[in-house]
């Protein structure tokens, strides 16, 4: 049942909708109130909330797993990269829950018994595996957050300025989310999932819109040079002044110096700040630009990153390197990967490890949704499955994953309607689609079509059109008969492409020579041939045999007519014994050798096409830190890994 009383500070009515709420903030005078039975105690005035970009407010409603909930409270927390909200939810079934709202990601979670001993906050590190409530998670980041303000009803004692050591965890390749709050003993565990904003079916949002703030640019002045600085979104945490290059912190309604301008050669972005490009049927504005680089063997490899903003969709990156472009989105739940492995698995696809290094920010201008600094360093590992690339960036107690999709330079130019040409791509990008792959697939498709036709023709010839027997006769070659043996006549009604004569004898440890003459009875034309058959067998530390009792002879391109064979046998001098021979004559017998020759000929083109695909991949991987298999170049002969270059765990 709701509990109602008057604020002891201002007398305004205060209503607690949940019986589990004993702590609240008066919405009129911001007094911090604690329930004691039927009375309220005033603990002093609560700090003001910072203005943010959240569309949610007290009184907002939504649904989760079919159950309606209302937003009844909020705490606001600050961490190194900015501010986020934890909204207290009350469900119609009287359950309580929490909705986290940070940088456009929404996670819902519930207080849950951990069912296992929890690691100490000081000992837990990013990428550690943790079992919570019978589910497996990995640590995403560890934060020393600070609670700065609150409002509405809360189920615990609350005051601005208390430390909140928190650990965020993600379920591998799923939507599962968990957090451990080490501000209490024992720590509190919250388990839930990350979901798109639209899945909650929100109503009664701030300003009545189911989206972020309108995205109207707010103008402020740089405290160092006085130049105008625009802020596109309340979620922007830092701004690099485009005039003096000083990095500024956006703190609610003002700017303060976060980092003095570093001595740097001014870089003109390929796409000017403020440019609007159309991607995914939406307009995105370039609000930030940074140049980053890795150094390998004393040589710098730079690339440019453009931060894009959309009022409802939030932030994305457009990344350029050697004229190649990628559209980059954050990955909330990490892929399946362990440090040192040769690949990462994301949504069932294998991404092979390509390169690693320390990525250093060298130049920044514009707005960023975190506190950017020149000189900040992340340990970077890239994995590729063209046209996509997974990037793992780690520093201190934080790991971030992102997914990049390759974009042709001409698509980028068209999206922004640029009046100048973008750099011509050079070399091969790590996630560039293999341009020879699609032609290779077409060639292979044609190969299989022609191979099927050849197979059909061969089957037709073997089983229907060819291979008709025209003579099948048993002969006996007697040793005392010096006259040649003549077969019965057989008729070829039409020209024969080939005529196959097969001998099947009863030779036994003996040999037989045959002198053959094929005679066309009408014209007397003759074709001569010879054959020798031998078969030996025995037992010598095991059974053995040598030779064959059978033999085939082929006569080609015979005209129509009446034919017979004259066979003059030649016997072995050592074993003169009569031999029985079954003679079978078949016309137009299918030649399997021709079939295989045709297949080999047809296969030459896809083999060459496959070679071209492989050569492109070899060219791509020659610039990688790892082999195309994902193995380190330093891998030993025993297959042991030469070491992971991440250096963050």
């Amino acid at each position: 049942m709701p509990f109602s009383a008057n604020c002891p500070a201002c007398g305004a009515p205060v209503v607690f909708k949940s019986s589990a709420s004993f702590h609240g903030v008066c919405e009129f005078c911001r007094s911090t109130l604690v329930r004691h039975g039927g009375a309220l105690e005033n603990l002093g005035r609560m700090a003001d909330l910072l203005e943010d970009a959240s569309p949610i407010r007290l009184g907002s409603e939504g649904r989760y797993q079919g159950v309606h909930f209302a937003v009844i409270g909020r705490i606001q927390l600050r961490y190194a990269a900015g501010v986020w909200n934890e909204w207290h939810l009350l469900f119609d079934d009287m359950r309580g829950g929490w909705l986290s709202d940070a940088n456009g990601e929404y996670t819902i979670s519930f207080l849950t018994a951990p069912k296992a001993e929890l690691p100490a906050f000081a000992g837990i590190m990013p990428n550690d595996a943790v079992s919570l409530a019978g589910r497996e998670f990995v640590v995403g980041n560890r934060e020393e957050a600070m609670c700065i303000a609150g409002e509405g009803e809360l189920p615990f004692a609350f005051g601005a300025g208390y430390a909140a050591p928190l650990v965020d965890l993600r379920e591998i390749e799923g939507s599962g989310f968990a957090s451990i709050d080490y501000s209490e003993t024992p720590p509190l565990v919250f388990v839930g999932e990350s979901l798109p904003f639209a899945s909650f079916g929100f109503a009664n949002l701030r300003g009545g819109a189911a989206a972020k703030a309108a995205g109207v640019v707010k103008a402020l002045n740089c405290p160092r040079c006085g130049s105008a600085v625009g802020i596109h979104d309340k979620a922007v945490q830092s701004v690099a002044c485009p005039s003096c290059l000083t990095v500024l912190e956006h703190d609610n309604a003002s700017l303060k110096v976060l980092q003095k301008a570093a001595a740097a050669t001014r870089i003109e972005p390929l796409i000017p700040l403020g440019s609007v490009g159309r991607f995914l049927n939406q307009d995105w504005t370039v609000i930030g630009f940074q140049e980053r680089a890795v150094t390998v063997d004393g040589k710098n490899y730079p690339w440019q990153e453009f931060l894009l903003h959309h009022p409802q969709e939030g932030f994305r990156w457009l990344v350029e390197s050697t004229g190649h472009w990628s559209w980059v989105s954050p990955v909330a739940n990490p892929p399946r990967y362990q440090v040192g492995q040769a690949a990462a698995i994301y949504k069932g696809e294998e991404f092979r490890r390509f390169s690693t290094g320390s990525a250093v920010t060298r130049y920044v201008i514009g707005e960023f949704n975190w506190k950017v600094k020149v000189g900040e360093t992340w340990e970077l590992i890239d994995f590729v499955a063209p046209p996509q690339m997974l990037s793992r960036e780690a520093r201190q107690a934080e790991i971030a994953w992102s997914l990049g999709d390759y974009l042709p330079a001409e698509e980028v130019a068209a999206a922004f309607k640029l009046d100048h040409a973008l750099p011509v791509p050079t070399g091969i990008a790590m996630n560039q689609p293999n341009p020879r792959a699609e032609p290779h697939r077409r060639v292979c498709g044609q190969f299989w079509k022609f191979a099927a036709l050849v197979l059909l023709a061969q089957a037709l010839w073997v089983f229907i059109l060819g291979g008709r027997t025209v003579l099948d006769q048993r002969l006996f070659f007697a040793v005392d008969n010096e006259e040649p043996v003549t077969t019965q006549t057989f008729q070829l009604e039409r020209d024969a492409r080939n005529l196959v004569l097969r001998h099947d004898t009863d030779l036994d440890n003996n040999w037989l020579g045959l002198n053959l003459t094929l005679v066309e009875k009408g014209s007397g034309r003759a074709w001569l041939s010879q054959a020798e058959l031998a078969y030996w067998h025995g037992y010598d530390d095991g059974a053995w045999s040598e030779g064959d009792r059978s033999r085939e002879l082929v006569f080609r391109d015979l005209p129509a007519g009446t034919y017979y064979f004259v066979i003059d046998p030649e016997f072995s001098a050592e074993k003169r014994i009569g031999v029985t021979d079954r003679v079978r004559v078949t016309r137009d017998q299918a030649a399997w050798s021709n079939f295989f020759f045709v297949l080999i000929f047809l296969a030459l083109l896809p083999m060459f096409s496959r070679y071209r695909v492989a050569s492109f991949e070899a060219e791509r991987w020659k610039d990688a830190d790892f082999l195309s298999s994902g193995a380190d170049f330093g891998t030993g002969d025993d297959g042991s890994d030469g070491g992971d270059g991440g250096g963050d765990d």
Side-chain angles (χ1 to χ4, degrees), residues 472-485:
D472 190 346
Q473 181 180 2
R474 288 187 177 273
L475 304 175
F476 181 73
F477 303 124
V479 295
D480 55 355
N481 184 9
E482 296 182 357
E483 295 296 323
V485 176

Side-chain angles (χ1 to χ4, degrees), residues 15 33 106 110 115 291 354 375 408 499 506 560 607:
V15 178
L33 309 174
Y106 296 85
F110 303 87
K115 298 183 182 179
E291 183 183 86
F354 190 92
L499 196 69
D506 61 355
M607 289 171 64

Side-chain angles (χ1 to χ4, degrees), residues 475-486 503 505 507 511-517 529 531-533 566-572 576-581:
L475 304 175
F476 181 73
F477 303 124
V479 295
D480 55 355
N481 184 9
E482 296 182 357
E483 295 296 323
V485 176
T486 301
H503 297 277
T505 69
L507 283 173
W511 71 269
L512 176 68
L514 298 174
N515 299 303
L516 300 106
T517 304
S529 185
E532 183 175 298
L533 296 86
V566 177
I567 305 174
D568 187 7
E570 183 178 348
F571 299 95
S572 168
R576 293 178 60 82
I577 186 173
V579 176
T580 300
D581 182 12

Side-chain angles (χ1 to χ4, degrees), residues 550-593:
S550 301
R551 181 70 181 275
E552 283 189 353
L553 297 174
V554 180
F555 299 84
R556 301 188 182 280
D557 300 323
L558 300 175
T562 302
Y563 291 83
Y564 61 88
F565 279 98
V566 177
I567 305 174
D568 187 7
E570 183 178 348
F571 299 95
S572 168
E574 292 79 11
K575 187 176 180 180
R576 293 178 60 82
I577 186 173
V579 176
T580 300
D581 182 12
R582 180 184 179 185
V583 175
R584 282 180 294 179
V585 178
T586 305
R587 66 163 296 160
D588 297 328
Q589 181 170 295
W592 285 96
S593 59

Side-chain angles (χ1 to χ4, degrees), residues 450-465:
F450 282 111
L453 290 175
V454 171
L455 180 61
L456 179 63
Q458 182 74 1
L460 188 66
W461 188 260
V462 170
F463 298 107
I464 299 177
L465 301 178

Side-chain angles (χ1 to χ4, degrees), residues 256-572:
K256 63 182 180 180
V257 175
L258 184 65
Q259 184 184 41
K260 292 183 179 179
T265 302
R266 185 172 293 274
I267 298 175
E268 195 65 34
L270 295 172
I271 303 173
L273 295 185
S275 298
V276 177
R278 190 159 185 82
F279 298 95
L280 306 175
N281 295 320
Q282 293 173 324
D283 291 330
W284 297 80
T285 304
V286 179
I287 66 171
F289 166 81
Q290 67 175 346
E291 183 183 86
R292 304 171 75 191
V294 296
T295 302
V296 179
D297 296 330
K299 183 178 180 181
N300 289 327
Y301 294 88
W303 67 92
Q304 297 187 354
E305 298 183 350
F306 300 82
L307 182 60
L308 308 183
H309 173 256
H310 184 275
Q312 285 77 44
E313 298 297 328
F315 302 93
R316 297 294 187 273
W317 284 101
L318 198 59
V319 178
E320 181 274 337
S321 177
T322 64
H324 298 274
W325 296 80
S326 291
W327 175 270
V328 179
S329 305
V331 172
N333 287 74
R336 190 174 300 278
Y337 171 72
Q338 290 295 325
V339 173
Q341 288 183 343
I345 307 299
Y346 183 65
K347 293 186 177 180
E349 185 169 8
E350 180 182 76
F351 288 73
R352 294 178 295 173
R353 191 173 59 179
F354 190 92
S355 63
T356 184
S358 297
V360 180
T361 300
R362 306 199 304 183
Y363 184 90
V364 294
I365 55 172
E367 309 164 47
F368 299 88
N369 57 335
W370 77 97
K371 292 181 181 178
V372 68
K373 288 184 179 180
V374 173
E376 73 176 5
T377 301
W378 292 75
E379 297 301 324
L380 175 65
I381 307 177
D382 289 321
F383 305 80
V384 298
Q388 293 187 315
M389 173 178 65
L390 272 174
S391 295
R392 178 185 187 267
E393 300 188 49
R395 65 171 181 177
Q396 300 173 347
E398 183 179 0
I399 292 178
W401 287 87
S402 60
L403 180 68
D405 289 273
Y406 187 85
L407 278 179
E410 54 269 22
E411 287 189 20
V412 176
F416 287 99
K417 298 185 168 114
L418 299 175
D419 57 4
H420 61 275
L422 293 174
V424 176
T426 59
I428 298 175
M430 63 178 74
N431 65 326
Q432 180 181 353
N434 192 323
R436 302 168 185 174
E438 183 57 34
H440 174 65
R441 281 191 287 270
R442 291 198 298 267
V443 168
C444 288
Q446 293 298 321
F447 165 77
W448 289 114
K449 289 179 182 178
F450 282 111
L453 290 175
V454 171
L455 180 61
L456 179 63
Q458 182 74 1
L460 188 66
W461 188 260
V462 170
F463 298 107
I464 299 177
L465 301 178
R468 185 167 65 88
T469 300
V470 294
L471 175 66
D472 190 346
Q473 181 180 2
R474 288 187 177 273
L475 304 175
F476 181 73
F477 303 124
V479 295
D480 55 355
N481 184 9
E482 296 182 357
E483 295 296 323
V485 176
T486 301
T487 68
Q488 298 172 354
T489 59
F490 56 89
Q491 192 75 26
L492 298 181
E493 295 83 2
R494 63 180 185 277
D495 295 352
R497 187 170 55 86
N498 63 59
L499 196 69
V500 179
L501 169 62
R502 179 178 177 84
H503 297 277
D504 290 302
T505 69
D506 61 355
L507 283 173
D508 185 30
N509 283 325
N510 202 358
W511 71 269
L512 176 68
L514 298 174
N515 299 303
L516 300 106
T517 304
L518 174 63
V519 180
E520 199 285 306
K521 187 175 181 180
S523 64
R525 186 179 176 185
W527 291 261
L528 303 179
S529 185
Q530 290 182 327
E532 183 175 298
L533 296 86
Y535 179 72
W536 312 91
H537 65 93
Y539 191 89
D540 183 9
D541 295 330
W544 61 270
S545 63
E546 181 180 345
D548 199 338
R549 293 188 176 100
S550 301
R551 181 70 181 275
E552 283 189 353
L553 297 174
V554 180
F555 299 84
R556 301 188 182 280
D557 300 323
L558 300 175
T562 302
Y563 291 83
Y564 61 88
F565 279 98
V566 177
I567 305 174
D568 187 7
E570 183 178 348
F571 299 95
S572 168

